[in-house]
Amino acid sequence: MELLDVIVVGGGPAGSTCAGLLKRNGLSVAVVDKESFPRSKLCAGWVTNSVFDMLHLSPEEYSRDHVLQPISQFTVWDRNNKAHPVNFRETVSYGILRREFDSYLLERSGVKVYEEYRVNGINVMPEYVELNGDLKAKVIVGAGGHFCPVSKSLGNSVSDTYTLAAMESETKLDEHLIKKYVSYPGSPEVIYLEDLKGYAWFFSKDSYLNIGIGSLKRKDVHRSLSVFLDTLKRSGRLPDELLEQLNPFTGHAYKIYPGGERNLVGERALLVGDSAGFSSSTSGEGIRPAVLSASLAAETIIEAQGTMFSRSDLGNYRKKIISAFGKPDAPSVIKETSQIERFLFNTLLLGTGAGRRYIIKNLFL
């Protein structure tokens, strides 16, 4: 059994970024993933310019063979269900299809990939980590999302008050349906939930329509989605002609940062991306935190070469994370939004042009 330098569990943006950086620095690396690529991976799917910069990837290069929707305008709904376009007059973000984006990044990393590989056992030995009794490496990186087995092996919970539930549907439609029913094509429409614990969206990317919702009140997410879809129907944006073509809504969960302490480092182990709970607390966006944390993890492993990769040898990773993301010092329980806070948010932010621009610029970009 070959002893690798690093095995990365999970082939999403965090895993492929970390693996690619390590390989380019001369380390032997493999990625394992329980799925086969390209695989279905739903999310709202917009990424900022900074993500492309961090990946050293040109949008023009990527768009040659993949869907890439330039975004220069977001649209914010107020409490009267009136849409307000917020135009930045330049491209500030891009819409992507995750199954394309993730597959592209993984192939671009150039590392060996074991697809349909489900991790059932992680054994930390004195000189290496062993997976399922058939792969071993000096270090293992957990990049397998919210339910990552590496995160679980470090004792992290998959459920707390900072775990968000999301449901989405993404469907390829005939162009005439997009033109007929999407009032703001290529412009993400953002609708905040009444309790301010999440938001919904309605967003076309080329000929794909993505509709979804995310909420920290996980038990209410199905009801909130139903309310949102009813609102879309009543406004004429989701007629039967369109509704009957939508792919089924599917759900997933992930943790936002800084949602309390989480074990990021173990013996010969590090966590990145959603497995470490790094998604933004304001927008729920996870790709930028995934790429950034993956870069810091790769940097930490490279610096620790020649050591035993113990918890203390890898301890600088937590310091790098705190420097980049801040301390995970949020209270253990999220407080309810008061009536005055809701009033001020609805009046000063959703209710004014300057407020809506503030929301998009500071919370989503």
Side-chain angles (χ1 to χ4, degrees):
M1 190 189 311
E2 178 188 5
L3 176 62
L4 298 167
D5 289 316
V6 185
I7 294 175
V8 179
V9 178
S16 61
T17 298
C18 185
L21 286 171
L22 292 170
K23 185 178 188 298
R24 288 194 290 277
N25 278 274
L27 280 72
S28 57
V29 190
V31 170
V32 302
D33 197 288
K34 67 182 189 304
E35 304 288 349
S36 178
F37 286 76
R39 50 90 164 101
S40 176
K41 177 67 176 180
L42 289 179
C43 76
W46 60 75
V47 294
T48 58
N49 291 315
S50 63
V51 171
F52 281 90
D53 291 341
M54 286 191 294
L55 291 170
H56 303 288
L57 174 61
S58 161
E60 290 74 22
E61 173 191 344
Y62 179 77
S63 66
R64 288 180 193 139
D65 299 304
H66 306 90
V67 171
L68 188 67
Q69 175 66 60
I71 301 171
S72 59
Q73 173 180 287
F74 281 72
T75 302
V76 181
W77 288 20
D78 64 22
R79 289 302 180 213
N80 295 316
N81 291 327
K82 182 179 179 181
H84 300 271
V86 179
N87 197 317
F88 290 90
R89 304 187 187 284
E90 62 179 348
T91 299
V92 292
S93 192
Y94 295 92
I96 59 167
L97 304 181
R98 283 293 301 273
R99 68 176 179 274
E100 289 186 348
F101 190 71
D102 293 10
S103 184
Y104 175 86
L105 293 181
L106 185 57
E107 182 177 356
R108 181 175 177 251
S109 72
V111 304
K112 182 175 179 59
V113 182
Y114 293 86
E115 297 181 311
E116 299 182 14
Y117 186 102
R118 188 173 292 274
V119 176
N120 297 313
I122 300 174
N123 294 315
V124 181
M125 313 297 281
E127 296 183 353
Y128 58 85
V129 180
E130 187 178 76
L131 297 187
N132 295 358
D134 58 17
L135 290 176
K136 63 181 182 180
K138 298 174 185 176
V139 186
I140 185 171
V141 176
H146 186 64
F147 298 99
C148 180
V150 182
S151 180
K152 182 179 179 180
S153 74
L154 296 184
N156 293 317
S157 169
V158 296
S159 180
D160 61 26
T161 53
Y162 289 90
T163 299
L164 180 150
M167 297 192 71
E168 298 113 335
S169 169
E170 188 165 76
T171 310
K172 183 174 176 60
L173 299 170
D174 290 337
E175 290 185 9
H176 81 275
L177 289 177
I178 296 289
K179 292 178 180 179
K180 186 175 181 181
Y181 294 117
V182 179
S183 302
Y184 304 95
S187 170
E189 299 181 45
V190 177
I191 305 92
Y192 271 89
L193 303 185
E194 186 66 38
D195 58 16
L196 304 184
K197 298 304 181 186
Y199 66 92
W201 62 87
F202 186 88
F203 176 34
S204 68
K205 317 164 193 178
D206 196 2
S207 58
Y208 289 82
L209 181 63
N210 188 297
I211 302 175
I213 191 168
S215 175
L216 283 168
K217 292 193 172 181
R218 301 188 299 280
K219 294 181 180 180
D220 292 341
V221 71
H222 286 88
R223 181 189 61 81
S224 297
L225 175 62
S226 179
V227 171
F228 175 49
L229 294 179
D230 285 342
T231 300
L232 290 174
K233 292 174 188 176
R234 290 196 306 271
S235 68
R237 298 181 186 215
L238 194 60
D240 291 341
E241 180 185 12
L242 189 57
L243 182 62
E244 64 187 16
Q245 294 199 38
L246 295 185
N247 287 327
F249 282 82
T250 59
H252 66 276
Y254 58 94
K255 186 179 171 69
I256 60 172
Y257 196 87
E261 279 289 352
R262 198 166 176 84
N263 295 320
L264 305 179
V265 181
E267 295 298 316
R268 299 183 178 274
L270 293 174
L271 298 182
V272 297
D274 281 351
S275 70
F278 288 144
S279 290
S280 166
S281 62
T282 57
S283 67
E285 197 268 326
I287 297 178
R288 182 182 182 278
V291 172
L292 177 55
S293 62
S295 301
L296 296 176
E299 183 180 282
T300 301
I301 291 170
I302 292 167
E303 291 172 350
Q305 288 187 91
T307 72
M308 294 297 293
F309 296 106
S310 67
R311 187 188 302 268
S312 59
D313 293 330
L314 298 172
N316 276 339
Y317 178 59
R318 187 174 185 278
K319 296 177 183 178
K320 294 175 189 289
I321 289 297
I322 290 175
S323 177
F325 294 93
K327 291 184 177 180
D329 54 4
S332 59
V333 177
I334 303 174
K335 71 180 183 70
E336 288 295 323
T337 310
S338 69
Q339 288 187 346
I340 185 64
E341 287 173 323
R342 294 186 194 184
F343 173 79
L344 291 174
F345 185 89
N346 293 338
T347 304
L348 299 180
L349 294 182
L350 292 184
T352 67
R356 292 185 288 269
R357 179 171 287 270
Y358 175 89
I359 288 175
I360 299 304
K361 185 175 181 179
N362 291 279
L363 305 187
F364 288 89
L365 301 177

